[in-house]
Amino acid sequence: NSFEFIGLLDKGGVLIEANRGALDFCGLDSSGVFNKPFWETAWWTHSKELQKQLKEGIKRAAQGEFVRFEATHIDKNEVLHYIDFSLKPVRDKEGNIVYIIPEGRDITERKKQEMELETYHHNLEELIKDRTVLLESDIAQRKKTEELLRESEKRLNDMFDSANDGILIADIESKRFIICNNMMCKMLGYSRN
C-alpha cells in the first residue's frame, strides 16, 4: 500500500517482489519483472550508466552497506521522473545478509524546484555582475537593475517558501543554519527565529 516504490531482491540482485506502486509506475505486471536481474527491468533499461551504478550498489548492499543515490526512471507515459533511490541490506538472526530492499521516492517536483532555484540563482548572479558594471557607468541603469534584482529575489524567496519539502540552508564553516523555509518550520514546529 506504500505510495513509494519498494521491492525485495535476493543477494545477487534478482527481483523477488515489488509493490503495486512500482509496477503501476511503468505499467508492468509481476510476470514481466520477477525472477529477473533488477537492472534488466523496465525501471533501469533506459540508462546503461544507471544500470552499472545499480549493479555496483547491489554488490555493496550485499556486503552490508546501505546505498543511496539519485536515479531517473521513465513512467508508462514516457515521462522522466527523478527518484531518491536506496538499497538496504536485510540480515537474518545470525547477521547474514539474506535480502536487499530497493526503495524509491519520486522527487521530481522537488528536483524541478531545485533546478528553477538554480536558474534564478544563476540569473541573480548575472544580474549582480551586470549591476557592478552598470554602477560604474550609469546610475539610471542601476535603478532598473536593482528593480529586476528585487523581483528576482522575491520570486526566489517565494519559491523557497512555497516548496513542498522542508529546506534548511547552512553555513558550512560555522556549521549553523542561516535560513529555512515555511515547510521546515511547520515540520519542526518552530518559528524561523
Side-chain angles (χ1 to χ4, degrees):
N1 290 324
S2 175
F3 67 91
E4 295 180 359
F5 310 140
I6 190 165
L8 186 65
L9 309 175
D10 69 13
K11 284 181 12 177
V14 172
L15 183 64
I16 299 168
E17 188 64 62
N19 72 338
R20 177 61 33 213
L23 294 170
D24 288 346
F25 177 81
C26 284
L28 302 171
D29 63 42
S30 58
S31 65
V33 292
F34 290 173
N35 299 314
K36 289 177 73 172
F38 192 36
W39 55 87
E40 292 179 6
T41 61
W43 297 286
W44 302 96
T45 54
H46 69 285
S47 170
K48 296 285 185 199
E49 185 177 312
L50 278 174
Q51 286 177 310
K52 182 179 176 183
Q53 188 174 9
L54 176 62
K55 284 181 191 179
E56 179 60 32
I58 289 171
K59 286 179 189 174
R60 290 171 37 212
Q63 295 173 3
E65 186 179 339
F66 175 79
V67 178
R68 184 176 180 187
F69 58 91
E70 195 172 284
T72 57
H73 294 308
I74 298 174
D75 71 13
K76 62 186 171 191
N77 299 316
E78 298 186 15
V79 175
L80 183 73
H81 291 256
Y82 292 89
I83 306 296
D84 180 10
F85 180 77
S86 65
L87 295 163
K88 180 181 179 183
V90 177
R91 299 178 185 273
D92 63 14
K93 291 180 183 179
E94 288 78 38
N96 301 311
I97 297 166
V98 290
Y99 297 110
I100 300 170
I101 296 175
E103 287 184 286
R105 187 175 72 122
D106 191 337
I107 58 169
T108 304
E109 287 305 312
R110 185 184 88 200
K111 194 71 175 170
K112 285 179 184 177
Q113 289 176 346
E114 286 174 2
M115 288 187 282
E116 208 169 313
L117 281 170
E118 189 174 312
T119 299
Y120 280 123
H121 178 73
H122 175 74
N123 291 342
L124 187 60
E125 285 180 345
E126 290 301 313
L127 286 171
I128 290 170
K129 286 178 189 174
D130 291 347
R131 178 180 168 219
T132 303
V133 171
L134 293 172
L135 282 173
E136 294 170 357
S137 65
D138 187 356
I139 293 174
Q141 188 64 28
R142 184 184 83 176
K143 289 181 181 180
K144 182 179 179 182
T145 302
E146 288 174 341
E147 184 178 320
L148 290 172
L149 181 61
R150 280 192 299 274
E151 288 174 16
S152 182
E153 231 175 325
K154 183 182 182 323
R155 280 186 276 162
L156 178 64
N157 288 333
D158 289 347
M159 285 178 40
F160 182 77
D161 278 334
S162 67
N164 291 331
D165 291 317
I167 303 171
L168 286 169
I169 297 177
D171 177 56
I172 294 173
E173 290 182 23
S174 68
K175 297 180 182 170
R176 301 191 83 156
F177 295 120
I178 56 176
I179 191 169
C180 68
N181 68 351
N182 291 334
M183 182 55 77
M184 183 56 70
C185 292
K186 184 177 177 182
M187 290 167 57
L188 297 176
Y190 290 110
S191 70
R192 284 192 187 203
N193 292 336

